[in-house]
DNA sequence: TTGTACGCGTTATCAT
DNA sequence: ATGATAACGCGTACAA
């Protein structure tokens, strides 16, 4: 302990045992004399010794780092995910590293491989839409990196997946709109290639089918999950005659765009148009009027995902499926006569 | 290279040189035969060799990790910072680890120390408000960890600081309001203990003084940088008689709250009330009406900060002061007669 | 200009 | 149950 931290050698010397014994104490080896353990633990406490993560990483060929790999997702969502992961990691020796990826780059797969090979992370959480790519998961597996995929529907076995049931959630959200008396309901879809978009659209269709309603293609507009695309889609939808009395947007950003578009043409929400979003990001609460939306339990999923990533074989299982719920605010009312 | 990555030894063997020579090539040592270098580089390329960061970290007692340390900041801001940092780090061997801290926890300082001691980061970016704490900077220095402090005014020497000039920025924003004809201008202040709050308030007072106007204490309300606090403060301000014709809120979240409050009592923005925010987060563009605000160049600051953190002595200096600018949207107009 | 020997702090192997 | 010794992959004295 000449300078800086005490090392395992210092502990071993002071405790009068070998390095390996100290290592066993740290790693909770079952085969250890109780007195030895107590003795070593005392010295550890007294010295304030903490194992050096770099040395461990080298010896174990595995870092005490958990990665968040995402591409292009919504900023609010990414922040919530980070919050959840850090909650799941709190009190452990793991840290979180964040790695955005450019899905459009031809080198995306190579970038990820390079990252994983070099950093030797303990595990990674894959966010949608990249989590939906089986090749990416296969790459993680090939490189011996644990992973958990987050999605709008289960993407893998329970140990490697956290998911919501977006289809069911949207189904009941749109059912709520129908209960309120809406019959002409517009849909702003998600971008192609997003599983969440597919699931949410299916939920929309389910609800209409449940009520014996047909899906009017003229009331379905494509979106890209951005505010601007929501605004644009809403303008198209609001041009239809007769106008839809309600619009379900596949995420809150687009729903905010819908509210914006309605205001722009002097339509009052919800009097002239009811709006429902999805995600329950802060955007939803801060829109005017506050947006009725479906809560996507992203913090809970991320927390569970982190725990799955660092779980030891004996740890209790974390849930893999998380319930969504309709958050009723003020953007929905009975349609005007 | 029996399994997995090739190591420095594999390169040395294949190139017919010693480890150390390879090491010199990697680290760009000046004293090296050109042929040797070319030869080694060829083998490196052929093998696809990349140095193992864990081993380097152990030997160098320093990680190729750059940390983002923040507490309690706005989610949008944190995301922008991450984006900027990752841009600054792109193409380098550095990764970003994110570390939130709870400023209210009594153990905050100990937590940070523990984190820095263990992880041996190459450097950390400190976000406000924690960046304003000199004790935190001193702690980094003591532990031999490079740091850069981000702030609303320079907090350290140019090599360790990235800053905007919020005072000047707000001064000209409020001057713009006065030019439009506003005389009763409300202020929603930032929370106590935030340098940004102080600076922005000073800028507000500057502008009023420039125009020969007095600061009416009844038109100043405290805020906590949250949407809810902005809404609350706006309600208080809008109760004043006569009503203010404009409100400057010290950040966009609170300004969104102001718009919300105005709508709630049937006031049109900007006809009945002009609103200006600060930060230029997505919130501002998505409010209705779109919010006139001051752009806080957070991405640029973060990018520069990252470059400062990983700069070698010969690298060109990154700027330390970043200009803000008023972003004019639709929440400001001439006051109604 | 290049190579040898060793240290960084930990875990793993194989003894006892 | 515990210990000696060898990895792990790279950097640095110091020597050549």
């Amino acid at each position: 302990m000449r300078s800086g931290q005490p090392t395992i050698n210092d502990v071993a010397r002071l405790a009068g045992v070998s390095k390996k014994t100290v290592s066993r104490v740290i790693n909770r080896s079952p085969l250890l004399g109780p007195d030895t353990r107590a003795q070593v633990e005392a010295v550890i406490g007294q010295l304030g010794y903490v194992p050096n993560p770099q040395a461990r990483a080298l010896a174990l060929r595995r870092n005490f780092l958990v990665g968040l790999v995402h591409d292009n997702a919504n900023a609010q969502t990414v922040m919530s995910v980070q919050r959840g992961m850090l909650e799941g990691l709190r009190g452990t020796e793991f840290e979180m590293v964040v790695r955005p990826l450019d899905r459009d780059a031809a080198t995306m797969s190579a970038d990820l491989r390079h990252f994983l090979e070099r950093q030797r992370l303990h595990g990674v959480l894959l966010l949608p839409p990249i989590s939906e790519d089986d090749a990416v998961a296969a790459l993680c597996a090939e490189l011996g990196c644990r992973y958990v995929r987050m999605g709008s529907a289960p993407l893998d076995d329970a140990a490697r997946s956290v998911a919501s049931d977006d289809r069911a959630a949207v189904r009941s959200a749109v059912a709520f709109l129908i209960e309120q008396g809406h019959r002409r309901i517009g849909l702003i879809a998600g971008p192609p290639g997003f599983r969440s978009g597919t699931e949410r659209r299916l939920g929309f269709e389910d609800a209409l089918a449940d009520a014996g309603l047909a899906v009017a293609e003229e009331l379905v507009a494509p979106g890209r999950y951005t505010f601007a695309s929501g605004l644009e889609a809403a303008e198209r939808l609001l041009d239809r005659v007769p106008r839809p009395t309600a619009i379900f947007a596949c995420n809150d950003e687009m729903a905010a765009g819908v509210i914006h578009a309605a205001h722009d043409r002097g339509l009052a929400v919800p009097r002239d148009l009811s709006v429902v979003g999805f995600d329950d990001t802060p955007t939803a609460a801060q829109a005017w009027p506050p947006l009725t939306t479906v809560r996507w339990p992203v913090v809970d999923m991320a927390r569970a995902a982190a725990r799955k990533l660092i779980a030891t074989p004996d740890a209790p299982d974390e849930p893999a499926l998380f319930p969504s719920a309709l958050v009723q605010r003020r953007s929905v009312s009975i349609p005007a006569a």
Side-chain angles (χ1 to χ4, degrees), chain A:
Chain A
M1 182 173 41
R2 356 182 226 309
S3 77
Q5 323 295 2
T7 75
I8 198 171
N9 290 308
D10 301 315
V11 176
R13 198 177 318 120
L14 245 81
V17 298
S18 80
K19 274 175 14 167
K20 182 58 194 168
T21 301
V22 178
S23 175
R24 286 197 180 97
V25 171
I26 296 167
N27 297 306
R28 294 172 173 55
S29 163
L31 19 85
L32 247 180
D35 339 338
T36 324
R37 155 162 293 144
Q39 158 71 355
V40 171
E41 275 173 345
V43 175
I44 287 179
Q46 169 198 334
L47 244 43
Y49 162 78
V50 287
N52 176 317
Q54 285 77 36
R56 299 235 278 180
L58 182 58
L60 285 171
R61 295 184 182 75
R62 165 142 310 199
N63 231 321
F64 280 71
L65 252 30
V66 169
L68 169 59
V69 171
H70 69 90
D71 78 306
N72 173 41
N74 175 281
Q76 300 278 12
T77 302
V78 175
M79 273 311 293
S80 297
V81 167
Q82 293 190 7
R83 198 148 49 79
M85 285 187 77
L86 289 163
E87 280 178 30
L89 260 29
R90 183 147 49 201
T92 74
E93 55 206 333
F94 291 90
E95 299 291 337
M96 178 183 77
V97 332
V98 181
R99 180 70 190 205
L101 242 40
D102 181 3
R103 183 188 28 186
D104 296 327
T107 55
M108 192 273 280
S109 177
D111 288 349
L112 180 58
R113 170 184 289 271
H114 189 240
F115 173 63
L116 260 26
E117 280 180 341
R118 281 175 56 89
Q119 295 305 128
R120 297 177 180 280
L121 303 183
H122 189 88
V124 290
L125 172 55
L126 272 17
L127 247 47
I130 211 183
S131 60
E132 293 155 11
D133 186 339
D134 289 330
V136 168
L139 179 59
C140 293
E142 174 197 336
L143 298 178
C145 182
R146 303 172 74 155
Y147 65 88
V148 167
R149 304 161 76 175
M150 180 181 291
S152 292
L155 294 167
D156 216 307
D157 54 280
R160 299 172 180 183
S161 158
V162 288
S164 51
D165 185 348
D166 287 10
R167 181 171 183 171
V170 172
R171 182 180 199 159
S172 63
V174 174
F176 168 70
L177 243 22
I178 295 172
E179 277 167 30
Q180 299 294 302
H182 293 277
R183 290 299 174 269
R184 283 185 65 78
I185 305 177
L187 169 71
I188 302 183
F194 280 60
R195 179 70 180 272
S196 56
T198 323
E199 293 293 318
R200 293 170 195 183
R201 181 175 185 146
L202 285 171
F204 178 83
E205 292 168 355
D206 286 348
L208 261 53
D210 290 344
L213 266 30
V215 176
E217 277 308 318
E218 56 157 17
L219 291 187
V220 176
R224 296 180 310 275
Y225 277 166
T226 63
F227 177 81
S229 73
L231 194 135
E232 195 179 311
E235 278 169 353
R236 208 158 31 220
L237 256 30
L238 293 175
D239 279 340
R240 304 297 185 219
V241 191
R243 254 198 344 247
T245 62
I247 291 181
F248 171 75
C250 277
N251 78 351
D252 287 345
E253 294 264 314
M254 296 197 296
V258 173
I259 291 182
H260 216 102
H263 284 151
D264 268 344
R265 59 175 69 192
L267 262 30
V269 175
R271 198 195 56 201
D272 303 318
L273 181 71
S274 290
V275 182
V276 174
F278 198 110
D279 281 348
D280 194 25
T281 55
T283 304
Q286 298 174 14
W288 202 90
L291 185 65
T292 292
T293 186
V294 179
R295 193 178 92 89
W296 197 40
V298 60
V299 175
D300 303 322
M301 289 194 287
R303 189 190 307 111
R307 298 224 175 103
K308 281 173 201 260
L309 285 173
I310 65 176
T312 48
D314 55 308
D317 286 350
E318 291 284 332
L321 195 61
F322 295 78
S324 293
L326 186 67
V327 180
Q328 295 194 25
R329 287 201 265 254
R330 284 160 44 197
S331 64
V332 172
S333 71
I334 297 174

